[in-house]
Amino acid sequence: MKKIFTSMVVALMLMATTTAQAQVKLGLKGGLNVTQMSLSSDVIDKSNQTGFFVGPTVKLTLPLIGLGIDAAALYDQRDAKLGEDDDESTISQRCINIPVNLRYGFGLGSMASVYVAAGPQFGFNIGQKNYGSDTDGFKFKDSNLSLNLGAGVSVLTHLELGFTYNIALGKTGEVSVTDGAKVLTSKARNNSWQVSAAYYF
């Protein structure tokens, strides 16, 4: 992980010194995600979260063969069901996610190219944070940090299709359940599979 962040810093330094030669493209990005919630203990049944994301994106190609950076500001909504069939509740997480990825691409001819990407993602909760009560409920954190690992294909220099695995680097929230006289708590982490499409102008 240190190597990834070191690479990001080096890329940002190169970008600062070679901005005049860099190629910048603005675009719009959107897609679907399926998030698996993992708990530190089995205090409640849970299901995968499904949702979508959309927002503006920017891609900067450095004057080094294949090397670049992309970033976005994405509205991200995910819904999940907690509990059993007769006592089931739905929670919704609404965030602004800011992924910043270092990427490397190589051509498949003049019509298409393939890329791999990795970098941090910063998330800020803008929706409801608390569901239920302190003893029986779920609470999202105000912000979270995660890591993106992805790959994709660029077609005709404008369209980009990508596949990303987003790994939570800390807890996303905490769930509490009353069991008799005891209150059981568990930390929740959300890792996501994401499929996206972006169009650059």
Side-chain angles (χ1 to χ4, degrees):
M1 190 174 302
K2 285 184 177 180
K3 291 182 178 179
I4 292 174
F5 288 115
T6 300
S7 298
M8 288 291 297
V9 171
V10 171
L12 290 172
M13 291 173 61
L14 288 171
M15 181 180 65
T17 58
T18 59
T19 303
Q21 303 174 29
Q23 182 181 13
V24 179
K25 289 187 177 181
L26 300 176
L28 184 64
K29 184 175 185 178
L32 303 174
N33 54 45
V34 176
T35 303
Q36 182 177 14
M37 181 186 297
S38 61
L39 303 177
S40 56
S41 59
D42 294 329
V43 299
I44 194 171
D45 292 334
K46 74 279 186 187
S47 68
N48 287 342
Q49 292 176 285
T50 59
F52 68 93
F53 54 92
V54 64
T57 183
V58 60
K59 178 170 62 173
L60 190 148
T61 303
L62 299 173
L64 299 172
I65 297 177
L67 191 62
I69 294 174
D70 67 56
L74 305 172
Y75 172 79
D76 190 311
Q77 179 174 321
R78 305 174 188 185
D79 298 320
K81 293 181 179 179
L82 299 178
E84 300 175 352
D85 292 337
D86 56 350
D87 186 23
E88 192 175 69
S89 60
T90 300
I91 61 173
S92 295
Q93 183 182 27
R94 294 175 174 85
C95 291
I96 297 296
N97 287 328
I98 303 174
V100 181
N101 298 311
L102 178 67
R103 53 190 287 155
Y104 178 77
F106 48 93
L108 297 177
S110 60
M111 302 292 287
S113 63
V114 173
Y115 71 89
V116 292
Q121 177 171 287
F122 307 93
F124 303 94
N125 197 332
I126 60 171
Q128 184 176 344
K129 299 178 179 67
N130 299 304
Y131 291 85
S133 64
D134 292 338
T135 56
D136 282 285
F138 191 95
K139 181 178 181 180
F140 285 112
K141 287 184 61 180
D142 291 334
S143 61
N144 54 75
L145 176 65
S146 55
L147 175 67
N148 285 325
L149 300 173
V153 59
S154 298
V155 182
L156 299 175
T157 71
H158 292 289
L159 181 62
E160 197 167 88
L161 304 175
F163 185 75
T164 302
Y165 187 54
N166 179 253
I167 306 167
L169 298 180
K171 72 175 182 178
T172 307
E174 190 172 79
V175 61
S176 301
V177 176
T178 301
D179 184 13
K182 292 190 287 187
V183 177
L184 306 176
T185 61
S186 180
K187 297 177 181 178
R189 297 180 64 200
N190 291 344
N191 296 333
S192 299
W193 293 101
Q194 300 178 326
V195 179
S196 65
Y199 185 84
Y200 290 95
F201 304 102

